[in-house]
Amino acid sequence: MRSLLPLFVLGFALPALADYDAFAIPQKGDATVEVLGGWRATPQHPFFSQLQRDGLNPQHSAFQPEGVLSLGFAADTDFHVTIDVSYGLDSWQTSAGTAQVSMVGILLGADTPLYTNPYFTLYAGGGLGYSLNTFTSAGQNTESNSSSGFLRAGVRVRLGNRIALVVEDRYVVSSALWPAFSSTVNVGGNLLSVGFLVHFFSPEDAGHPQEPTTH
């Protein structure tokens, strides 16, 4: 009889584990605030080659810092929409001085859970947006903006009823012309970041929406 006890426990647990609404991060109807920070790997082969042809002996770090603030809303358990504002830097040391680009990204995105259990949610998504780029070289600033597209995948680990640890990898496709060097620059790249997500329901509402019941 004891050997059957785990089977009975599992039998009662399976229906609960199938209730994705109870475990989703975020849940249906939640507003979300997410803050991420990490390092971006940005391939710059064409621009790097142009600097070498100009005889500027460029040096460039493979990883550059970037942060993201994301505001969102879970319209449904399977549909979480976000507005992301990101800020990143990229710089090169050359024989003529430092060349630098600062990037402000404004991205409209969406994601959906791929797998959910009581402890974490795996998700994936993507979106489109715009990158506001400021190039600085020899004391001169040049603005050269560009459109963006991105894909992302990550995991949200439950830390409490309203907060989760987030580990995310996103790849942004975006490039802009730097007139001073007559070359395009990759202002996207692959960002691996870590941060926190707070998800909450409106204080004036008693709880999450429930499916109508019939009698």
Side-chain angles (χ1 to χ4, degrees):
M1 187 65 182
R2 289 183 179 177
S3 62
L4 296 178
L5 183 58
L7 295 179
F8 282 113
V9 174
L10 182 60
F12 284 109
L14 284 177
L17 291 176
D19 186 3
Y20 289 115
D21 285 336
F23 301 136
I25 308 173
Q27 298 181 40
K28 180 179 179 180
D30 275 353
T32 61
V33 178
E34 185 176 26
V35 178
L36 301 171
W39 296 95
R40 187 185 72 256
T42 309
Q44 295 288 4
H45 305 301
F47 182 64
F48 201 80
S49 298
Q50 180 63 48
L51 292 179
Q52 288 180 319
R53 287 194 294 269
D54 292 341
L56 295 177
N57 303 315
Q59 296 182 353
H60 180 254
S61 175
F63 300 97
Q64 303 289 335
E66 185 167 327
V68 180
L69 171 65
S70 178
L71 305 178
F73 178 72
D76 194 84
T77 304
D78 297 325
F79 188 62
H80 176 226
V81 294
T82 59
I83 297 177
D84 295 358
V85 178
S86 64
Y87 180 75
L89 295 171
D90 207 347
S91 62
W92 299 262
Q93 297 299 322
T94 73
S95 55
T98 300
Q100 179 175 284
V101 55
S102 62
M103 299 153 286
V104 177
I106 302 174
L107 301 169
L108 178 63
D111 62 77
T112 187
L114 302 178
Y115 174 76
T116 301
N117 68 28
Y119 309 106
F120 64 86
T121 295
L122 297 175
Y123 67 93
L128 298 170
Y130 208 63
S131 183
L132 309 177
N133 312 303
T134 301
F135 298 97
T136 303
S137 178
Q140 299 294 320
N141 294 333
T142 302
E143 292 186 4
S144 183
N145 303 327
S146 57
S147 57
S148 302
F150 76 101
L151 296 173
R152 64 182 171 197
V155 58
R156 300 180 180 120
V157 180
R158 188 182 305 278
L159 298 180
N161 290 334
R162 289 290 175 261
I163 189 168
L165 173 71
V166 181
V167 179
E168 182 181 282
D169 186 70
R170 67 170 62 190
Y171 191 85
V172 179
V173 178
S174 186
S175 60
L177 175 66
W178 194 337
F181 296 101
S182 302
S183 178
T184 58
V185 178
N186 185 350
V187 292
N190 190 84
L191 173 65
L192 180 61
S193 59
V194 178
F196 295 95
L197 177 140
V198 177
H199 56 111
F200 53 91
F201 207 63
S202 176
E204 54 268 16
D205 293 310
H208 289 88
Q210 303 294 325
E211 294 294 333
T213 57
T214 57
H215 299 281

